[in-house]
Amino acid sequence: MSAHAHAAPATPSSQRAWRHRKNVEHLTPGQLKALRDSFAATQAISDDRGYAHWAGIHGLPLPMYCTHGTRLFLAWHRAYLYFFELALRDQVPAAVLAWWDWTSVGSHSKGIPPAYARARVDGKANPLYSVPVPPVARVNGQPTRTTRAPMAPGGLPTAAEVHAVLQLPDFLDFQAQLEGLHNRVHVWVGGTMGQVPWAAYDPIFWAHHTMIDRLWRLWQLHHSNPAFPPGLLTTPLPPFNLTVSDTLEIKALGYDYASSTTHAEP
């Protein structure tokens, strides 16, 4: 099975280079190329190492594993990002997921980041722009590929809204409110991003969810000893061989978030 049998390596920091996820707007040309190349490489693979396999875990084809509106929302998607990033790095070792800071002034004036908004780059199709949806994941033959229909940039969640959510002391309350902001971005992007069965096929899905994961990390840094409901930490996160507790410390998973002046920080 791909991505190390969906199990976290025992000593990830010694097995792989330590990596820092950055704001996509702050990537160097080389870092953006590595990200782009890794998406292109996985999109060319048709087995369980490939992009379609990983996108399909979230929605179609069945079974649909994603968790929304449950207490596993953040943990499940953190595991999902973790294993997807390993799949990217299996193809391009320098690849690291980047986040889309939809709270920034730039996002509110431009909308979709340029890295994801350009249909072609260097004379070739941009693998971060649009990808085919495989026949096995379609319903009545649709959709054949990802599309977007973004609203006006001013409709994205603001830094003030994020700041308020980050102040919430209760984990479940924080998670629910953050998921609400998350939902707004999916709806804002529109197209396949606005439809759960196909959302993860759109490359910007991963930048959006990396932002959500980063905000959870910021919340953890400001709420270092939160109380969790009984039984939550031992709950498994299928199809990944992890429990909620395995996702709490991202440095144990071999990554962290680069410092930034983003307006999303409190």
Side-chain angles (χ1 to χ4, degrees), residues 118-166:
R118 298 186 180 113
R120 299 185 66 80
V121 177
D122 298 330
K124 300 180 294 185
N126 180 7
L128 301 180
Y129 177 71
S130 177
V131 302
V133 175
V136 70
R138 300 173 192 166
V139 175
N140 296 324
Q142 296 297 322
T144 58
R145 65 182 305 114
T146 61
T147 60
R148 300 174 189 148
M151 301 178 186
L156 290 165
T158 66
E161 290 176 298
V162 169
H163 178 75
V165 170
L166 289 173

Side-chain angles (χ1 to χ4, degrees), residues 49-119:
R49 300 168 301 148
Y51 187 90
H53 166 78
W54 287 99
I57 287 174
H58 188 267
L60 291 178
L62 297 174
M64 189 179 295
Y65 287 106
C66 64
T67 62
H68 297 96
T70 80
R71 62 185 194 167
L72 301 180
F73 170 72
L74 287 175
W76 188 90
H77 284 86
R78 176 169 284 179
Y80 190 33
L81 291 177
Y82 169 73
F83 286 111
F84 176 69
E85 188 175 62
L86 290 185
L88 294 179
R89 289 167 66 81
D90 280 342
Q91 303 306 315
V92 179
V96 182
L97 288 174
W99 79 79
W100 168 25
D101 183 6
W102 24 256
T103 71
S104 72
V105 173
S107 288
H108 279 259
S109 62
K110 294 181 297 186
I112 303 293
Y116 294 84
R118 298 186 180 113

